[in-house]
Amino acid sequence: METWWVRTPSSLFSLSRSWTTMPTLRSSSSRYHSSSSPSSTSSPLRRAVAGGRRSVSAASSSSVSVAIPCNDGDSKQTSEGDSESLSAGEGSDFEDSLRRNGKKRAAKRPLKPTPAKLPKKRSQTVRANGQKESEPPASDLFDAVKGAKSDMQSLVDEWLDSYKQDQDAAFLELVNFFIRSCGCKGTVTPEMFKKMSNSEIIRHLTEQFNEDSGDYPLTASGPSWKKFQGSFCEFVRTLVYQCQYGLLYDGFPMDNLISLLTGLSDSQVRAFRHTSTLAAMKLMTSLVRVALQLSLHKDNNQRQYEAERNKGPGQRAPERLESLLEKRRELQEHQEEIEGMMNALFRGVFVHRYRDVLPEIRAICIEEIGSWMQSYSTSFLTDSYLKYIGWTLHDKHRDVRLKCLKALKGLYGNQDLTSRLELFTSRFKDRMVSMVMDREYDVAVEAVRLLIVILKSMDGVLTDADCESIYPVVYASNRALASAAGEFLYWKLFYPECETRAVGGRERRRSPRPQRTFFYLLLSFFVESELHDHAAYLVDSLWDCAGPLLKDWESLTSLLLEKDQNLGDVQESTLIEILVSSVRQASEGHPPVGRVTGKKGLTPKERKIQADDKVKLTEHLIPLLPQLLAKFSADAEKVAPLLQLLNYFDLNIYCTRRLEKHLELLLQQLQEVVVKHAEPAVLEAGAHALYLLCNPEFTFFTRVDFARSQLVDLLTDRFQQELEELLQSSFLDEDEVYSLAATLKRLSAFYNAHDLTRWELHEPCYQLLRKAVDTGEVPHQVTLPALTLVYFSILWTLTHISGSDASQSLSPQKQLLDLKGRMVAFCELCQSCLSDVDSEIQEQAFVLLSDLLLIFSPQMIIGGREFLRPLVFIPEATLQSELASFLMDHVFIQPGELSGGHSQEDHLQIEQLHQRRRLLAGFCKLLLYGVLEMDAASDVFKHYSKFYNDYGDIIKETLTRARQIDRSHCSRILLLSLKQLYTELLQEQGPQGLNELPAFIEMRDLARRFALSFGPQQLQNRDLVVMLHKEGIKFSLSELPPAGSSSQPPNLAFLELLAEFSPRLFHQDKQLLLSYLEKCLQRVSQAPGRPWGPVTTYCHSLSPGENTAEVSPQGYPRSKKRRVEGPSRQHREDVSASQEESLQPNSIPATPMLTSTAVKSGQPLGASEEMEEGGSSELAFPQGLYLLGNPRSRSLSPQHFQTPLNPSGPGLGKQLTRLSLMEEDEEELEIHDDLSGDWQGSGKDF
């Protein structure tokens, strides 16, 4: 059984006496006081079956003492003793609860004995003792509600008809309906009412409850249960509605039903508690509506009575007055009875269940009390009830907090109720504001919407400090939250200045220039707040609430083109960014990068609006774009975004609207901008804008193509002249170098987007690069764009060959060989640049070289392109070695620590990190696509742990892909990585105390990560793990100590790294490895009585769960002779078990992808997709896993686990080291042959 209630934190009850006293519902004419009846020991249900009927008078007290304040407003009276009832009777059944709360009402009619009638269609069941017991059949009500075959009103009417014929049987059917709705298999029989107490009935039902599954009707899945909760609630509502004019005031059915639900809500069975609480709260909601109707009838009756009494003596009708008085007394009686039922439900169910351990129950209570406050605010909208919502705002479950916020939003949204929320607002305003930062996005969104309602309905409640804590949320990554914060910002800052008033059905604006006022305010907020650097996210946040204002491109452009607009440089740049962002948002309809919306697509209406907006913005901006470019042509930061506007135009309008003259002006301005600037962002934007216009489908294509040819001719002529000066002269001044570099940058940017092959730029650029490599006299500013130009030239040539029908060409072989020669020559140039003194040239050469090697790899012939086979290029060993050495020197380096992420140095370090990740991703792709030898991956894998924060996602993805290609080879590479690290550390530090060094501890952590990478497929990886252990044992004993020396072999500490893979072994394999280790150790001399620590640690890791191998005094393991109960065996098993559990695939994260600049086509392993550098979480490693190593390491101080590993030594260029590590000694092969028979004989049985 589970704990079924939770205490509200004591801090929440320390507000004031008015917040801790129990609310009491009181009538305007009488008050209810609780009275105990200790002599009442029989169940009310049992008394009802016995035929008892109770009489009730108009002044009789209700069964419970919760009083509802009615229209007279007497809701402030509370008793101090009520607070004690909060904790009283928390574990009692419904009989004790009823006795505790008050005496029962008597029936309106005298007692009539009811004969014992059996329910219809009753079946006979045989109990365990052989005695027959009459038991009703399965509830027809339950089946009808579950199937929802008929409307609830007809179903309730049928039940009422059966109740008139046989009250006991009908009520018993209603009771069993609620029992079955809980998922209980048991039923309540008349015998149980006669012979069992209430607690025994519930205990009996609990015993018959099906506990095999945690599901019950309210939580069960499947189509049959999908609508059950709605039908169940509708049945309860209809039952009260149909009974409100008669049976509701009978006293027998409703009182006993409330008692039943109260008792079940106290049950320890979750299904009983959940279902009965839902039924009780829905019953309470229906009673509140009935009470509201009674209150309205009383008011009408009072008005009629006053009107009749105020008539003259001759017109006054005494019979009319008497009937109105009688009607008022009857309404008063009914209201008192309804209030008594509501008091019973509130005190018996809500007070205990609003803090239940089950969040679904708490959410039900809060949702219903919110509806009570909205529908019957006169009685329920008091601080005594509001405190429950205020306390629950701190609930730990998102659904409960969400229900609280939604309930409060409904209350604050009613302007008539806000005056009664002042005390609550003052107490809980800080909590509501803080919930904007809730970790659950939907809760945070609802919190912001609640604050918007408060902002509109209660002036001055939210201070400037409160609002300033909400403003930064407009830049949140979640679009729903950012949009809600944008709406708050709009209503707080922008709307008061741009407010509109509806006068005579037409809008008349208070400000003559509201649009400009809006943009000035927007500029002021963005610039002065300094919360973010990109206005696109602010525009997206305001789009839903201020979209029409943001789409006022006329006001935006007029502000930018005015001469006396008094805008600063920063404001102009921001306004241009706002213009471009609003145009992009209107044209594309999706948020900026990094902010994802949950919508899958646009509706037809939204697509229609998007198309209309695109036409409007194009028609407006086509004439103005040349003017904007002319005004801001000198400023690169402003010109680049303006050129991006063409991406969002409907360019067909140039033709359809006869706007060719504006196109001419645009082309002129575009040429001036390109010639004037050399910044990469401007050149890229200009080249892309011209590419959009150079579409052969447009009628103006010839005009644009002519303008492009003129521009390229101009740049090419300038380049030829400057190149001749460089080749002939031995010295160039700074101006000449800058001019040549700028011309090359412009040509390179256009070569990226346009085919410039006919201008034959490859040969002069190649000569320039050859001189740079041979003499070193060419400045690096010139070398960088020249490299890119030659690279694009090769790619465009490849595009022509592969795109055209080259296989049918007359001289395909000549073209292929010519391209192959140019590509090989360029690769040699890039290989020479890898050793250049300038780091920028080195990195650029590495990126271009890795892309070319990937493009011209064997995968280029896939997809029916066999004719390209002569172009396939496999790099030589020297080139592979240089690529790997470059990676070690430029990627796996320790950068400086980031101070805070806001300084210029921090931004520079972040950019450098992105560049290093780009280099690593390019190298890893060369490994995965077979361009480089897979063994070279060892120098990448060995840095997995040390550089996990920077490159962990890339290395992990590479490891996963490598295992998919060849599992066996990947396992050998992992072992090779550990061997390399161990050998480097051994050469630096020596064999003494090696396993106590911080670097060795980091190696052990790396081995643990490698072991976890095998995943939970233990059987699938069995051979691989065994092979890894055998190879590791061979390596640990590959070098023996000098003859006659008792020192341990220098590589023996490697066994401690190998021990991290032992949890991946089966018990049979552990025993065979122990035998294998014993035979290997027989060749090594060791002093008796002094076992080596690494051997002991490794043997302990191979100890099976039940039969742990014993280590002999000489340090040799003995096979299973006797059971050894080591002191730490259980701990190691627990650690291993936790390690196994951490490998269970509870959730599969998104696969991180790699990035590169390569042009990919038809590549295997999903290479056609863009390989992004996505983040990927790694499994957590408990600190207890460190105890799997050498026992001596357990006494190490904590700093040993925090010291970073020393920089690694030789890199991949040391091929001799790698080859020597992979050699196998002849004696080791002999040992392997001796044990091969034993290994095969053991089989792989379990």
Side-chain angles (χ1 to χ4, degrees):
M1 295 298 179
E2 62 184 357
T3 304
W4 53 273
W5 65 277
V6 291
R7 289 191 179 273
T8 307
S10 58
S11 61
L12 299 180
F13 287 96
S14 61
L15 297 176
S16 67
R17 173 171 297 181
S18 65
W19 286 86
T20 55
T21 55
M22 200 57 204
T24 307
L25 301 176
R26 299 186 182 275
S27 170
S28 60
S29 61
S30 63
R31 299 178 182 176
Y32 288 77
H33 302 279
S34 62
S35 61
S36 62
S37 45
S39 61
S40 177
T41 58
S42 61
S43 166
L45 295 178
R46 190 167 68 248
R47 293 197 305 270
V49 174
R53 291 289 187 270
R54 295 149 297 163
S55 60
V56 61
S57 62
S60 63
S61 60
S62 67
S63 60
V64 226
S65 71
V66 185
I68 298 182
C70 294
N71 296 335
D72 56 358
D74 186 16
S75 61
K76 304 291 185 182
Q77 305 293 334
T78 57
S79 61
E80 295 183 1
D82 292 336
S83 60
E84 300 176 359
S85 65
L86 275 171
S87 58
E90 291 168 340
S92 63
D93 63 357
F94 58 87
E95 178 185 20
D96 299 331
S97 174
L98 207 62
R99 286 203 310 268
R100 182 179 69 251
N101 288 331
K103 57 186 179 180
K104 303 297 298 178
R105 300 192 309 274
K108 293 182 178 181
R109 51 187 178 274
L111 177 64
K112 294 182 180 180
T114 305
K117 297 182 179 179
L118 295 178
K120 299 179 180 179
K121 300 181 182 179
R122 187 178 301 241
S123 60
Q124 299 291 329
T125 59
V126 182
R127 303 182 64 180
N129 56 7
Q131 179 182 0
K132 290 187 177 180
E133 180 187 18
S134 59
E135 180 178 334
S139 176
D140 295 334
L141 281 177
F142 177 80
D143 295 334
V145 172
K146 175 185 174 183
K149 298 178 181 179
S150 60
D151 61 313
M152 293 301 163
Q153 184 172 351
S154 301
L155 185 63
V156 172
D157 289 341
E158 293 178 4
W159 180 84
L160 289 175
D161 293 340
S162 64
Y163 182 82
K164 295 176 182 178
Q165 298 175 4
D166 191 340
Q167 297 181 358
D168 298 336
F171 182 75
L172 194 61
E173 183 183 10
L174 184 63
V175 169
N176 284 317
F177 161 74
F178 286 104
I179 298 300
R180 285 201 60 188
S181 298
C182 297
C184 181
K185 292 182 178 180
T187 57
V188 181
T189 64
E191 295 295 330
M192 294 172 61
F193 281 109
K194 295 177 181 178
K195 300 180 180 179
M196 300 172 64
S197 64
N198 296 331
S199 59
E200 291 174 343
I201 291 174
I202 294 181
R203 189 180 304 114
H204 178 76
L205 294 174
T206 303
E207 293 173 355
Q208 294 188 0
F209 194 85
N210 180 19
E211 298 181 354
D212 298 336
S213 173
D215 291 337
Y216 46 94
L218 290 183
T219 61
S221 58
S224 59
W225 301 107
K226 187 176 182 180
K227 300 181 180 180
F228 176 77
Q229 181 170 347
S231 301
F232 179 79
C233 298
E234 178 65 18
F235 174 79
V236 175
R237 187 195 68 81
T238 309
L239 180 64
V240 176
Y241 179 80
Q242 293 297 100
C243 298
Q244 63 177 327
Y245 299 111
L247 191 60
L248 191 61
Y249 312 105
D250 188 7
F252 164 63
M254 297 307 298
D255 285 355
N256 287 281
L257 179 60
I258 292 173
S259 300
L260 171 67
L261 297 177
T262 304
L264 290 175
S265 67
D266 281 341
S267 173
Q268 293 181 345
V269 179
R270 174 175 297 190
F272 282 156
R273 211 166 62 252
H274 186 187
T275 309
S276 60
T277 302
L278 176 63
M281 293 297 98
K282 292 299 180 181
L283 182 62
M284 176 80 168
T285 302
S286 301
L287 292 175
V288 167
R289 293 173 182 171
V290 173
L292 179 62
Q293 292 296 326
L294 289 175
S295 178
L296 296 177
H297 291 327
K298 281 184 59 180
D299 293 340
N300 293 333
N301 178 270
Q302 183 67 26
R303 286 194 299 269
Q304 293 174 2
Y305 179 81
E306 294 295 336
E308 188 68 25
R309 192 179 60 177
N310 292 333
K311 292 180 180 180
Q315 299 178 350
R316 185 184 307 167
E319 297 81 2
R320 173 69 173 168
L321 289 176
E322 185 64 25
S323 64
L324 289 174
L325 285 175
E326 181 64 25
K327 181 65 175 179
R328 184 167 63 178
R329 283 193 294 268
E330 181 183 356
L331 291 174
Q332 183 65 32
E333 285 184 26
H334 289 174
Q335 188 173 26
E336 291 172 358
E337 294 188 20
I338 294 297
E339 290 169 358
M341 298 177 198
M342 292 191 296
N343 289 330
L345 289 169
F346 188 85
R347 286 183 176 272
V349 180
F350 178 88
V351 168
H352 302 289
R353 299 282 68 79
Y354 88 96
R355 50 183 180 174
D356 193 277
V357 69
L358 192 64
E360 289 84 354
I361 295 179
R362 303 198 300 271
I364 290 172
C365 294
I366 296 303
E367 182 180 13
E368 296 307 317
I369 195 176
S371 67
W372 307 338
M373 292 177 181
Q374 293 184 48
S375 59
Y376 200 5
S377 59
T378 306
S379 298
F380 286 97
L381 190 57
T382 63
D383 296 332
S384 299
Y385 292 101
L386 283 168
K387 64 183 179 183
Y388 295 109
I389 297 181
W391 291 338
T392 319
L393 285 172
H394 298 267
D395 196 276
K396 62 182 180 180
H397 200 270
R398 57 175 292 277
D399 290 337
V400 184
R401 300 195 302 274
L402 197 60
K403 295 295 184 183
C404 292
L405 294 171
K406 289 182 178 180
L408 291 175
K409 190 172 72 171
L411 296 176
Y412 281 103
N414 190 340
Q415 195 69 33
D416 299 333
L417 305 180
T418 54
S419 60
R420 305 167 68 177
L421 295 168
E422 294 179 355
L423 178 59
F424 175 85
T425 306
S426 63
R427 297 287 178 87
F428 294 100
K429 183 191 69 173
D430 293 340
R431 172 57 184 163
M432 290 186 285
V433 172
S434 66
M435 292 180 75
V436 173
M437 299 299 177
D438 196 278
R439 62 182 180 181
E440 302 292 343
Y441 283 129
D442 51 354
V443 178
V445 170
E446 201 64 32
V448 176
R449 290 173 179 169
L450 171 61
L451 294 176
I452 293 173
V453 175
I454 295 176
L455 180 67
K456 293 179 180 180
S457 59
M458 303 179 72
D459 295 335
V461 173
L462 296 177
T463 63
D464 292 340
D466 297 332
C467 298
E468 289 173 0
S469 64
I470 305 173
Y471 294 156
V473 185
V474 296
Y475 300 106
S477 59
N478 183 271
R479 190 179 189 278
L481 179 58
S483 298
E487 185 179 357
F488 180 88
L489 176 66
Y490 173 77
W491 287 104
K492 176 62 179 177
L493 295 182
F494 304 144
Y495 180 77
E497 299 293 335
C498 308
E499 181 180 1
T500 61
R501 290 185 175 181
V503 179
R506 300 180 61 185
E507 292 186 349
R508 186 176 64 188
R509 301 187 180 277
R510 180 178 299 178
S511 174
R513 306 172 74 184
Q515 294 89 347
R516 294 196 171 197
T517 304
F518 170 77
F519 287 117
Y520 279 122
L521 291 172
L522 188 62
L523 281 174
S524 176
F525 172 78
F526 180 78
V527 175
E528 295 178 5
S529 62
E530 297 181 352
L531 296 173
H532 207 273
D533 296 332
H534 301 288
Y537 297 93
L538 179 60
V539 170
D540 180 60
S541 300
L542 293 169
W543 192 256
D544 293 340
C545 59
L549 292 174
L550 290 170
K551 288 190 288 188
D552 186 7
W553 298 295
E554 182 179 355
S555 299
L556 267 171
T557 52
S558 63
L559 281 174
L560 288 171
L561 293 174
E562 283 183 0
K563 296 181 179 180
D564 54 347
Q565 77 274 34
N566 296 325
L567 294 177
D569 185 67
V570 177
Q571 291 177 321
E572 285 182 346
S573 300
T574 304
L575 201 59
I576 290 176
E577 188 176 0
I578 292 174
L579 170 63
V580 176
S581 300
S582 63
V583 168
R584 185 202 59 79
Q585 192 90 2
S587 176
E588 296 183 349
H590 59 76
V593 177
R595 180 177 286 176
V596 181
T597 178
K599 297 175 62 176
K600 295 183 179 180
L602 299 178
T603 62
K605 181 180 179 181
E606 291 173 339
R607 285 195 293 269
K608 178 65 167 55
I609 295 175
Q610 178 181 340
D612 294 342
D613 289 340
K614 191 171 184 177
V615 172
K616 291 178 182 178
L617 68 91
T618 304
E619 292 177 347
H620 175 73
L621 291 176
I622 279 180
L624 299 180
L625 183 56
Q627 302 178 32
L628 292 171
L629 290 175
K631 181 176 181 179
F632 301 105
S633 61
D635 196 334
E637 294 183 358
K638 300 172 184 176
V639 167
L642 287 175
L643 289 174
Q644 295 175 5
L645 288 173
L646 280 174
N647 296 327
Y648 317 114
F649 282 7
D650 183 2
L651 297 178
N652 288 310
I653 293 181
Y654 276 112
C655 309
T656 58
R657 305 298 167 87
R658 299 185 179 276
L659 300 175
E660 287 83 358
K661 62 177 182 179
H662 299 292
L663 178 62
E664 291 287 349
L665 295 175
L666 176 63
L667 293 175
Q668 294 177 8
Q669 293 298 327
L670 182 60
Q671 181 175 349
E672 292 182 8
V673 167
V674 171
V675 174
K676 187 180 296 185
H677 293 278
E679 288 79 3
V682 178
L683 295 178
E684 182 180 353
H688 186 68
L690 195 58
Y691 170 78
L692 294 173
L693 295 172
C694 289
N695 190 343
E697 297 179 358
F698 294 148
T699 58
F700 54 81
F701 168 72
T702 54
R703 186 176 304 178
V704 178
D705 184 56
F706 178 73
R708 177 179 60 179
S709 300
Q710 282 185 324
L711 177 60
V712 177
D713 287 340
L714 175 65
L715 297 176
T716 304
D717 293 341
R718 184 180 299 181
F719 167 65
Q720 295 289 351
Q721 296 174 3
E722 295 169 345
L723 179 62
E724 290 180 3
E725 296 178 2
L726 175 65
L727 295 177
Q728 295 176 3
S729 175
S730 59
F731 176 77
L732 291 177
D733 57 15
E734 293 183 1
D735 293 339
E736 293 174 340
V737 172
Y738 174 81
S739 178
L740 178 58
T743 302
L744 285 173
K745 288 179 181 178
R746 296 183 184 107
L747 288 172
S748 176
F750 273 80
Y751 218 158
N752 186 19
H754 304 267
D755 183 11
L756 307 183
T757 305
R758 58 192 177 100
W759 278 272
E760 298 180 355
L761 296 172
H762 176 273
E763 193 61 30
C765 290
Y766 180 79
Q767 295 178 4
L768 183 63
L769 292 175
R770 175 55 62 186
K771 180 178 180 179
V773 172
D774 294 341
T775 64
E777 297 177 356
V778 180
H780 73 279
Q781 300 97 319
V782 176
T783 306
L784 287 173
L787 283 169
T788 309
L789 269 170
V790 177
Y791 170 76
F792 287 134
S793 174
I794 295 174
L795 293 187
W796 276 110
T797 306
L798 177 62
T799 302
H800 285 301
I801 294 176
S802 59
S804 62
D805 195 0
S807 60
Q808 305 291 333
S809 178
L810 297 178
S811 57
Q813 198 69 19
K814 181 180 178 181
Q815 296 180 9
L816 295 175
L817 292 178
D818 180 63
L819 177 59
K820 178 70 172 291
R822 293 164 61 180
M823 187 270 299
V824 172
F826 181 68
C827 289
E828 293 175 354
L829 281 177
C830 291
Q831 183 177 355
S832 302
C833 292
L834 290 177
S835 57
D836 196 274
V837 293
D838 190 82
S839 60
E840 292 185 9
I841 294 179
Q842 290 179 330
E843 293 179 357
Q844 181 76 355
F846 180 87
V847 171
L848 298 179
L849 188 57
S850 61
D851 286 348
L852 276 181
L853 291 177
L854 188 62
I855 294 171
F856 288 89
S857 63
Q859 55 85 31
M860 75 179 306
I861 64 175
I862 298 176
R865 294 180 295 179
E866 186 66 26
F867 65 94
L868 296 179
R869 181 174 294 276
L871 295 178
V872 174
F873 177 70
I874 302 298
E876 298 179 355
T878 55
L879 178 56
Q880 296 188 32
S881 177
E882 288 193 34
L883 289 173
S885 300
F886 172 85
L887 193 74
M888 299 303 106
D889 296 337
H890 290 78
V891 174
F892 294 111
I893 56 177
Q894 288 287 359
E897 294 294 331
L898 297 178
S899 60
H902 300 288
S903 64
Q904 184 129 11
E905 294 78 7
D906 292 340
H907 286 294
L908 180 60
Q909 289 187 24
I910 293 174
E911 292 178 0
Q912 292 174 352
L913 175 61
H914 284 302
Q915 177 65 12
R916 292 195 300 270
R917 287 172 58 87
R918 183 187 178 195
L919 299 175
L920 177 61
F923 184 82
C924 290
K925 285 199 294 185
L926 293 178
L927 294 171
L928 295 176
Y929 293 113
V931 179
L932 302 180
E933 294 292 336
M934 187 59 75
D935 288 340
S938 61
D939 275 324
V940 177
F941 294 160
K942 70 183 182 182
H943 296 96
Y944 183 32
S945 180
K946 184 177 180 180
F947 292 90
Y948 182 78
N949 292 333
D950 294 339
Y951 318 120
D953 55 338
I954 300 177
I955 300 178
K956 183 178 180 180
E957 179 67 14
T958 306
L959 177 59
T960 303
R961 297 291 186 93
R963 181 171 282 114
Q964 293 174 359
I965 296 172
D966 191 338
R967 302 178 65 87
S968 177
H969 194 189
C970 181
S971 302
R972 293 181 182 273
I973 294 174
L974 295 181
L975 182 63
L976 179 60
S977 303
L978 294 175
K979 289 179 181 179
Q980 289 178 355
L981 282 177
Y982 183 86
T983 304
E984 294 170 4
L985 184 62
L986 184 65
Q987 293 174 356
E988 294 176 3
Q989 304 293 339
Q992 298 298 328
L994 193 67
N995 54 2
E996 297 181 359
L997 296 175
F1000 187 84
I1001 295 174
E1002 289 192 1
M1003 273 193 287
R1004 188 183 301 158
D1005 179 65
L1006 177 63
R1008 185 177 303 112
R1009 289 180 183 267
F1010 284 167
L1012 289 173
S1013 69
F1014 281 95
Q1017 297 84 10
Q1018 194 170 3
L1019 180 60
Q1020 187 178 5
N1021 297 318
R1022 181 178 184 181
D1023 293 338
L1024 304 179
V1025 179
V1026 170
M1027 177 272 297
L1028 188 145
H1029 276 270
K1030 291 178 64 180
E1031 295 294 333
I1033 293 174
K1034 293 177 186 179
F1035 173 75
S1036 64
L1037 300 174
S1038 59
E1039 297 184 17
L1040 302 179
S1045 174
S1046 61
S1047 60
Q1048 67 181 28
N1051 294 340
L1052 194 64
F1054 189 79
L1055 291 176
E1056 294 192 18
L1057 303 180
L1058 209 59
E1060 301 296 338
F1061 295 89
S1062 297
R1064 308 287 101 190
L1065 291 168
F1066 287 97
H1067 290 177
Q1068 302 92 318
D1069 298 336
K1070 291 182 179 181
Q1071 291 301 313
L1072 291 174
L1073 284 173
L1074 284 171
S1075 301
Y1076 180 76
L1077 178 63
E1078 181 178 359
K1079 290 186 178 182
C1080 292
L1081 288 173
Q1082 290 176 358
R1083 301 185 294 107
V1084 185
S1085 60
Q1086 181 181 9
R1090 297 180 59 188
W1092 289 325
V1095 176
T1096 304
T1097 301
Y1098 184 62
C1099 291
H1100 284 171
S1101 70
L1102 294 178
S1103 299
E1106 296 181 358
N1107 299 320
T1108 305
E1110 180 188 4
V1111 180
S1112 63
Q1114 289 79 17
Y1116 305 142
R1118 292 199 297 264
S1119 298
K1120 304 190 310 183
K1121 293 184 178 179
R1122 67 183 181 88
R1123 182 173 180 176
V1124 178
E1125 295 291 338
S1128 62
R1129 179 175 64 85
Q1130 184 63 36
H1131 175 74
R1132 288 197 303 274
E1133 292 176 359
D1134 295 340
V1135 171
S1136 177
S1138 64
Q1139 201 173 13
E1140 291 287 343
E1141 291 176 359
S1142 66
L1143 292 170
Q1144 297 301 323
N1146 294 329
S1147 62
I1148 302 176
T1151 304
M1153 308 298 289
L1154 307 179
T1155 60
S1156 176
T1157 58
V1159 178
K1160 301 178 287 296
S1161 176
Q1163 300 174 355
L1165 291 176
S1168 60
E1169 300 176 359
E1170 181 181 0
M1171 308 177 84
E1172 300 177 352
E1173 299 169 356
S1176 176
S1177 59
E1178 179 58 60
L1179 297 175
F1181 301 94
Q1183 295 181 357
L1185 292 182
Y1186 284 108
L1187 300 179
L1188 290 174
N1190 188 351
R1192 288 180 294 177
S1193 65
R1194 302 179 189 180
S1195 61
L1196 295 177
S1197 57
Q1199 60 266 23
H1200 289 288
F1201 298 95
Q1202 301 173 2
T1203 306
L1205 183 64
N1206 294 331
S1208 58
L1212 277 175
K1214 305 273 186 169
Q1215 289 193 348
L1216 295 178
T1217 302
R1218 185 189 303 113
L1219 294 176
S1220 63
L1221 291 176
M1222 298 182 66
E1223 291 178 354
E1224 294 189 353
D1225 194 274
E1226 295 180 357
E1227 296 179 359
E1228 296 169 348
L1229 291 176
E1230 293 176 359
I1231 295 175
H1232 173 70
D1233 294 337
D1234 294 339
L1235 288 178
S1236 60
D1238 297 339
W1239 211 278
Q1240 295 177 359
S1242 66
K1244 291 183 173 56
D1245 52 342
F1246 298 90

